[in-house]
């Protein structure tokens, strides 16, 4: 007689699918549409899947140079680029049967935000608004002009004035010119802080001499 047996042949391993999304994240958790050098970028490969098993590992190659700098079971990774330009980021996923798949995207990273330049001039002015030819004295109005402050990659959005450099900003505004009447004669260290549209600030201080009457 002839014996027969049933042999079960399993289907071939399908292999995983590698997918990811990314976004820049600010310190307050808001999204950065165009990340810069130094910005944190979140990479999320949660949408990667495996039709006949599970994705067991996620490996990240930040420059697609063949070196996977980060490998683990967590689909979420963070990275900060130290250089501007286009960076091709490659994700490699592996499933529980050892099959792998890769996915790459180009990430555009802008130069780091340049801090603004703070500077100002000052002069005593007479009651009619004309500039005094001599140093201001007690009771004279002093006009401050910060219009020469600049930001190479954005715009100046705020001007803060600390009349005695005691850490308390006495005047805050969006216009570069302001006037002040000092209550006492002597040397006064005045500090200007300018802010720009990306949140960076810079300070500049000058000594203002107020004479006696």
């Amino acid at each position: 007689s002839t014996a027969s047996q049933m042999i079960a042949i399993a289907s071939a391993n399908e292999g995983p699918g590698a997918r990811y999304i990314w976004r820049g994240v600010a310190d307050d958790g808001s999204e950065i549409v165009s990340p810069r050098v130094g910005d944190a970028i979140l990479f999320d490969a949660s949408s990667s899947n495996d039709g006949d098993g599970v994705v067991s590992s996620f490996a990240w190659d930040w420059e697609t140079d063949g070196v996977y700098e980060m490998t683990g079971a967590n689909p979420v990774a963070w990275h900060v680029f130290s250089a501007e330009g286009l960076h091709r980021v490659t994700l490699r996923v592996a499933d529980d049967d050892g099959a792998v798949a890769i996915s790459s995207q180009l990430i555009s990273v802008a130069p780091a935000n340049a801090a603004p330049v703070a500077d100002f001039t000052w002069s005593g002015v007479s009651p009619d608004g004309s500039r005094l030819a001599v140093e201001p004295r007690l009771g004279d109005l002093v006009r401050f002009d910060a219009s020469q402050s600049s930001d190479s990659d954005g715009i100046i959005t705020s001007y803060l004035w600390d009349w005695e450099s005691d850490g308390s900003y006495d005047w805050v505004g969006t216009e570069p010119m302001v006037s002040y009447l000092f209550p006492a004669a002597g040397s006064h260290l005045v500090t200007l802080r300018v802010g720009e549209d990306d949140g960076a600030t810079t300070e500049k201080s000058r000594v203002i001499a107020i004479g006696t009457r």
Side-chain angles (χ1 to χ4, degrees), residues 27-212:
D27 291 339
D28 62 2
S30 61
E31 181 176 358
I32 301 174
V33 177
S34 299
R36 296 175 177 268
V37 170
D39 288 338
I41 301 179
L42 170 69
F43 294 85
D44 187 350
S46 299
S47 58
S48 297
N49 63 353
D50 185 40
D52 59 355
V54 295
V55 177
S56 56
S57 71
F58 303 83
W60 299 92
D61 180 353
W62 303 124
E63 299 293 344
T64 309
D65 55 6
V67 178
Y68 287 87
E69 291 88 1
M70 182 176 292
T71 303
N74 191 340
V76 175
W78 293 83
H79 187 64
V80 176
F81 289 99
S82 59
E84 64 185 89
L86 292 174
H87 302 265
R88 183 175 291 279
V89 174
T90 295
L91 163 69
R92 182 183 67 196
V93 299
D95 70 6
D96 51 342
D97 283 318
V100 299
I102 64 172
S103 177
S104 297
Q105 294 185 46
L106 280 174
I107 314 298
S108 179
V109 178
N113 180 38
V117 175
D119 203 1
F120 66 91
T121 59
W122 62 276
S123 61
V125 293
S126 63
D128 63 4
S130 60
R131 182 171 180 171
L132 296 174
V134 295
E135 73 172 22
R137 296 184 179 184
L138 188 61
D140 290 333
L141 199 62
V142 180
R143 179 181 297 155
F144 295 86
D145 185 354
S147 57
Q148 57 191 304
S149 299
S150 61
D151 184 36
S152 62
D153 60 354
I155 57 173
I156 303 293
T157 57
S158 64
Y159 301 85
L160 295 80
W161 298 92
D162 181 352
W163 304 126
E164 299 294 343
S165 295
D166 56 6
S168 175
Y169 286 90
D170 312 282
W171 182 270
V172 179
T174 58
E175 296 297 325
M177 295 185 66
V178 65
S179 297
Y180 183 64
L181 186 68
F182 287 94
S187 295
H188 303 267
L189 184 65
V190 173
T191 297
L192 163 70
R193 174 186 287 177
V194 297
E196 46 99 274
D197 52 340
D198 279 316
T201 62
T202 305
E203 295 182 352
K204 177 71 175 184
S205 297
R206 294 187 185 278
V207 174
I208 314 300
I210 303 296
T212 58

Side-chain angles (χ1 to χ4, degrees), residues 8-14 52 97:
I9 306 297
S11 59
N13 180 32
E14 287 185 13
D52 59 355
D97 283 318

